[in-house]
Amino acid sequence: MPHTRDRARLRACQDLLGFPLRSIPRTPNGQIHLDSGKPAQQRFQALFVTCLMSTPDHPHPWERPGKGAMASITGYLNRVAVHPDRLDVHSNTVCRIAARMLPLLHHRTRISGIPGLRLIGIGRRRLCLQHLPTGARLDLIDTHGTKAHPTLAPTLDRETSWHTKPGTQPLWQLPELTAAEAAHAHHWAPSACTPLRAALMARTMAFYRHPLDCWPAWVDAAPGHPNPRLVWSTGPDARDMADVLTTSVISIPGAAYQDRGRDEGVLSLGDGAITLVREEQNREQLAELLDVPRHGVAR
C-alpha cells in the first residue's frame, strides 16, 4: 500500500537523520526533500561540513591550537535541517558548539573557528549566527528547553570565557570581516564540489548513526590528484557508504558512484566529485581523542 510504503520511508529517514516524523522536509507531493538551500546557503553548508569532518588524524586547518575543538562538535548534535534561508542545528549544548565555531585569532597569526562567523542574536532557545562573506544564516537551537534564564547569554558567556585568554582575540565580536579572515576566502569560494559538499551537510547525521556509524574526515585533494577525499576508519565500506548517499531514502538527487573496490570509490554530482576511502583505525581510541560520547552521538 502506498501509505504504508511512505510511512516506512519516513521512518527510515528518521532513523538516519534524527528528524521527528512530522518535521521531515517534504515536497508538496510528499517526497522527502533535504536540499533546499539557496546558493549562499549552499556555499556555507559546503564550508561547514568540512569543519565538522575534522579528526585527530586529519584535523581541519581551523582547529583550535593544541586541541580539537571542532572535531568534537558532532558528538553534541541532535539534528541538522536545511532551509532556503538558513541552516538549523539542534543540540542540547548549543553554547558549547558556538564557542568552538566562533572565530578567534591566536597570537596574531592563526585563526581557529570559522572565519567570518558572527553572532547576530541570542534568544531563550536559539543562537542566531551569520557568515559575513556568504551572507548565510546559521541557527543553533537548544533542545534542552531550560527556563532558568530569559536568554542563552549567561551560558554563552561561560562557554566562551576562554576566548579572552592572553594571546587570543575573539574576532566574532568585531562588526566587519578582518583581513586575517578574508585571507581564507578560498574555503568558501564556489567550486564544482560545492553542491556535493552542501548535500553532505544536509545528511551529516547519517554518518554518525546506524548503519554507517563512522567518524568521517575531510581531506583536501593532494597534489596531482583531482578529488578531495572523505575518509573514515572502521565501519561501512565505501560501497555501503555510497549506497546510503545514492540509493537510500536520503540519497542525493543526481549523485552517481564509480566503484573502485570495497574500500574506495568516487562519488560525483554534476562536475564535482570526491573520493570515498575507508581507512583502518580503532574507533574506540578515536572517540577518546575527540572527548565525545563513546557510543555515538549525544541525543
Side-chain angles (χ1 to χ4, degrees):
M1 296 175 61
H3 176 75
T4 302
R5 289 197 298 271
D6 289 347
R7 189 75 172 180
R9 287 173 60 83
L10 292 174
R11 289 202 176 278
C13 181
Q14 178 186 48
D15 291 341
L16 285 165
L17 299 180
F19 281 101
L21 289 179
R22 66 182 182 279
S23 300
I24 295 174
R26 285 178 280 176
T27 61
N29 64 0
Q31 296 297 309
I32 295 171
H33 182 61
L34 303 175
D35 305 285
S36 58
K38 293 181 179 179
Q41 288 294 136
Q42 282 201 346
R43 287 169 60 195
F44 178 72
Q45 288 169 220
L47 161 71
F48 191 24
V49 76
T50 65
C51 296
L52 295 180
M53 292 179 174
S54 174
T55 68
D57 281 346
H58 303 286
H60 194 280
W62 297 336
E63 274 291 9
R64 178 182 169 190
K67 188 173 184 179
M70 288 193 297
S72 63
I73 289 176
T74 52
Y76 300 105
L77 301 184
N78 297 136
R79 186 165 84 248
V80 174
V82 173
H83 301 278
D85 61 342
R86 71 182 190 278
L87 177 67
D88 284 350
V89 172
H90 298 251
S91 172
N92 57 7
T93 54
V94 295
C95 293
R96 182 166 301 171
I97 290 175
R100 300 179 184 200
M101 292 193 310
L102 291 168
L104 306 173
L105 183 64
H106 302 272
H107 302 290
R108 300 183 180 180
T109 58
R110 177 177 174 180
I111 286 181
S112 68
I114 300 177
L117 195 62
R118 299 293 189 267
L119 180 68
I120 61 173
I122 305 178
R124 185 174 65 83
R125 295 187 58 187
R126 187 183 294 258
L127 297 178
C128 302
L129 301 101
Q130 185 176 34
H131 187 239
L132 295 181
T134 60
R137 170 84 172 264
L138 169 66
D139 283 13
L140 305 179
I141 301 170
D142 179 31
T143 57
H144 190 265
T146 180
K147 296 182 180 179
H149 302 285
T151 75
L152 291 166
T155 306
L156 183 64
D157 287 344
R158 183 172 65 253
E159 290 288 353
T160 58
S161 60
W162 54 275
H163 285 198
T164 55
K165 292 173 60 176
T168 302
Q169 180 186 6
L171 299 179
W172 60 273
Q173 295 179 352
L174 303 178
E176 298 179 351
L177 189 72
T178 67
E181 293 172 293
H184 295 267
H186 60 283
H187 284 274
W188 54 79
S191 71
C193 204
T194 294
L196 181 52
R197 285 187 291 155
L200 294 178
M201 182 69 237
R203 294 157 179 81
T204 297
M205 297 305 300
F207 295 106
Y208 309 105
R209 292 173 175 267
H210 179 80
L212 295 181
D213 194 25
C214 63
W215 229 288
W218 182 266
V219 182
D220 289 333
H225 294 267
N227 304 325
R229 292 177 292 153
L230 186 67
V231 304
W232 65 97
S233 57
T234 55
D237 60 33
R239 291 171 183 169
D240 292 335
M241 177 79 76
D243 283 344
V244 170
L245 298 175
T246 62
T247 66
S248 75
V249 296
I250 64 165
S251 62
I252 301 171
Y257 185 66
Q258 180 183 358
D259 194 314
R260 293 182 177 176
R262 298 299 303 182
D263 292 329
E264 185 174 330
V266 177
L267 179 70
S268 61
L269 180 64
D271 295 330
I274 62 174
T275 301
L276 306 181
V277 181
R278 181 174 67 170
E279 299 180 330
E280 291 299 325
Q281 184 166 346
N282 187 301
R283 191 178 186 279
E284 293 291 311
Q285 293 178 355
L286 181 62
E288 291 178 1
L289 287 170
L290 292 174
D291 190 27
V292 296
R294 181 182 297 272
H295 296 295
V297 181
R299 295 289 180 248

